[in-house]
Amino acid sequence: MPKLLGPGATRGVEITFGGLIVGRERGCDVVLPSKNVSRNHARLSIRDKIARVEDLGSSNGTKVNGVFIKGITELHTGDLITFGDMTLQVVDDLPPAGETGTTAPALR
């Protein structure tokens, strides 16, 4: 299952069939502590074995690999998703704890 990996993270958050809500509000599945991230910024989900992201009308938009998205956008391993001013990476497999090899993207 694809995962979201943040800067400096050693484990990711699995993108599930039921979906994840990304935002700055405490009730979100992935909370990003930035005023440039909307309370309920975007939804990530799996459909037909494909990860997808959808902006939920956020103020600052959502980008995939530097391009603002409109509607539902497919995701692939290595894609960088920017929510406001915070960037996470889509990864497929993470190395076991203590091993290196996965590089987290820098905050933008």
Side-chain angles (χ1 to χ4, degrees):
M1 237 354 125
K3 298 176 178 67
L4 282 179
L5 185 67
T10 57
R11 62 181 192 173
V13 175
E14 191 170 281
I15 301 171
T16 63
F17 289 98
L20 298 172
I21 300 295
V22 177
R24 73 170 193 263
E25 195 165 71
R26 286 186 186 179
C28 291
D29 300 300
V30 177
V31 177
L32 300 177
S34 169
K35 293 190 184 235
N36 292 314
V37 174
S38 293
R39 288 183 191 97
N40 292 291
H41 197 100
R43 175 183 295 116
L44 288 98
S45 61
I46 303 284
R47 185 170 178 188
D48 300 325
K49 299 183 182 181
I50 298 171
R52 303 162 191 264
V53 62
E54 176 183 12
D55 187 85
L56 297 176
S58 66
S59 299
N60 292 310
T62 301
K63 296 178 188 175
V64 174
N65 298 323
V67 178
F68 282 104
I69 65 167
K70 293 182 181 182
I72 298 171
T73 301
E74 289 186 7
L75 297 170
H76 306 281
T77 299
D79 282 350
L80 297 176
I81 310 172
T82 304
F83 307 96
D85 62 350
M86 301 196 75
T87 300
L88 304 177
Q89 185 174 29
V90 178
V91 296
D92 209 8
D93 291 313
L94 297 174
E99 289 186 26
T100 59
T102 301
T103 303
L107 286 177
R108 298 179 195 254

